[in-house]
Amino acid sequence: MLIGLCGGICSGKHAIAEYLTQHQGFHLLGLKNRNYPQMSDEPGNRVQLQSSEASGQGNAPSAEVVFENVDLLLEFVTKRWREFWVTTDIWDGATLDRLIQRPFFLLVSVDAPVSLRWKRFTDRCRERQIETPALEEFVIWNDRHLYDRDIGRAYLTDRAQARLFNSSSSLDELHAALKTLDLADEQRLRPNWDQYFMQLASLAAQRSNCMKRRVGCVLVRERRVISTGYNGTPRHLKNCNEGGCPRCNCGAGGGVGLSTCLCIHAEENALLEAGKERIREGAILYCDTCPCLTCTVKIAQVGIFEVVYSQGYNMDQESAAILESAGVRLRQFSPPRNGLIYLQNLENTRPE
């Protein structure tokens, strides 16, 4: 695994790299930064401080191996991809394009409140006996660092698989949150089968035209997709979001007027598309929402072996009781957290 850390000035990326090397068995790799353009109108001593020690939560660790270019770094890691590596030397889109093609690479962005990053930066300046900037000056510099057309880091952070918001007030708090998060989880690199099929269900949900909620479903047997489904009005009827289902469009509350609803549920669509003859023994239904009672009885009838869902619904207990009586396994799947993750007090939260 190779983790690449990128982020704003004093966001804490070097502190995270240091934690990974000291506590989780990672080794730091570096790239020579010969031609990377700096902010031309900034004092040279501050630019040097920012580029070499911008974590604001501890000194930047020294790379164990430094490479002339990204291709040599990739050649090195490819032969050792089962080991743990980390780098903070991602400066441009071309470098990221080369890294992100590899299945062992994970891009992690790090951010923090601008007021906190300014405090970290001024503390670092005082330690080095360098003139400290005013907040306004720092904000202008930060905006250029993130959004400059040619070298803005926002173009990199927007592509991150995991985005960490580092508002931790101390290194101990940061380390506790990182331990709970477990960035080294290999499921972040390559989704397991549950994660893969659940993502397909979520993708199917994007095709939904139901005005009440989007739901997607994937029917699988022997790790092969049999059918997919999403909720909406039947074929040849006007789409729900075009007024095809009066019940969904009138704003009725949950559970009200269900007998007048014209929308077919995602699970129903997947079952209809597959047909009983294709379902057979061992079929698994993945749905991003726990099935309702209507779908549950149909799932039991066609002989589904297991139901896997990610989000709860308002009748989970009733559905679970029916599936248990019918001998159908039911479980909720929670993938490792990606997207935007708040590190502060993460050890006291339950993964979503």
Side-chain angles (χ1 to χ4, degrees), residues 1-65:
M1 168 183 264
L2 170 62
I3 291 180
L5 296 168
C6 62
I9 304 167
C10 290
S11 58
K13 52 188 177 293
H14 291 123
I16 292 174
E18 186 174 30
Y19 169 81
L20 292 174
T21 58
Q22 292 184 357
H23 300 280
Q24 293 197 347
F26 279 76
H27 305 280
L28 187 65
L29 302 179
L31 282 173
K32 287 192 175 179
N33 186 8
R34 293 178 174 175
N35 301 316
Y36 178 68
Q38 299 283 5
M39 301 301 177
S40 59
D41 58 344
E42 293 303 325
N45 54 1
R46 290 186 191 161
V47 170
Q48 181 62 31
L49 176 63
Q50 185 275 326
S51 62
S52 61
E53 301 179 16
S55 74
Q57 287 181 305
N59 294 335
S62 299
E64 295 186 5
V65 186

Side-chain angles (χ1 to χ4, degrees), residues 9-10 14 36 38-56 117-118 120-126 128-142 144-145 153:
I9 304 167
C10 290
H14 291 123
Y36 178 68
Q38 299 283 5
M39 301 301 177
S40 59
D41 58 344
E42 293 303 325
N45 54 1
R46 290 186 191 161
V47 170
Q48 181 62 31
L49 176 63
Q50 185 275 326
S51 62
S52 61
E53 301 179 16
S55 74
R117 292 192 287 114
W118 172 64
R120 292 172 183 169
F121 189 78
T122 55
D123 290 344
R124 183 67 48 152
C125 287
R126 280 193 290 268
R128 301 297 186 272
Q129 296 183 343
I130 298 171
E131 180 185 357
T132 58
L135 176 58
E136 182 179 2
E137 180 185 2
F138 180 83
V139 169
I140 294 173
W141 187 14
N142 174 73
R144 291 176 179 170
H145 180 266
R153 301 296 176 89

Side-chain angles (χ1 to χ4, degrees), residues 174-186:
L174 174 64
H175 291 178
L178 290 171
K179 182 179 179 180
T180 301
L181 183 60
D182 188 15
L183 285 174
D185 188 340
E186 291 188 357

Side-chain angles (χ1 to χ4, degrees), residues 96-134:
L96 179 57
D97 287 342
R98 298 289 293 122
L99 292 169
I100 212 163
Q101 293 174 353
R102 299 305 178 100
F104 51 74
F105 178 72
L106 177 73
L107 181 64
V108 178
S109 70
V110 189
D111 200 0
V114 65
S115 57
L116 180 57
R117 292 192 287 114
W118 172 64
K119 182 180 183 304
R120 292 172 183 169
F121 189 78
T122 55
D123 290 344
R124 183 67 48 152
C125 287
R126 280 193 290 268
E127 289 177 9
R128 301 297 186 272
Q129 296 183 343
I130 298 171
E131 180 185 357
T132 58

Side-chain angles (χ1 to χ4, degrees), residues 167-310:
S167 58
S168 299
S169 58
S170 69
L171 283 175
D172 289 341
E173 186 179 70
L174 174 64
H175 291 178
L178 290 171
K179 182 179 179 180
T180 301
L181 183 60
D182 188 15
L183 285 174
D185 188 340
E186 291 188 357
Q187 290 186 59
R188 300 183 188 279
L189 295 176
R190 185 173 187 243
N192 62 21
W193 289 110
D194 276 351
Q195 201 171 350
Y196 174 68
F197 292 126
M198 197 62 74
Q199 287 177 1
L200 291 181
S202 296
L203 179 61
Q206 299 306 305
R207 284 287 303 165
S208 170
N209 61 67
C210 180
M211 291 295 290
K212 296 296 290 183
R213 67 186 301 165
R214 287 176 165 176
V215 182
C217 178
V218 174
L219 198 56
V220 175
R221 182 168 54 82
E222 296 178 351
R223 295 179 176 174
R224 295 181 181 274
V225 174
I226 302 173
S227 64
T228 64
Y230 53 86
N231 57 328
T233 48
R235 186 178 301 173
H236 304 310
L237 269 66
K238 185 184 296 185
N239 286 339
C240 181
N241 60 355
E242 296 172 340
C245 177
R247 183 259 173 184
C248 290
N249 282 268
C250 75
V256 177
L258 293 179
S259 61
T260 65
C261 183
L262 301 182
C263 288
I264 300 177
H265 291 189
E267 301 93 322
E268 293 175 310
N269 268 324
L271 295 174
L272 287 169
E273 181 183 338
K276 193 175 189 305
E277 68 279 0
R278 294 177 59 200
I279 295 174
R280 288 183 276 176
E281 184 178 355
I284 302 175
L285 185 145
Y286 288 88
C287 192
D288 58 1
T289 303
C290 188
C292 69
L293 290 178
T294 301
C295 292
T296 296
V297 296
K298 294 174 182 176
I299 289 168
Q301 175 66 15
V302 298
I304 296 294
F305 168 72
E306 183 178 31
V307 174
V308 185
Y309 71 98
S310 58

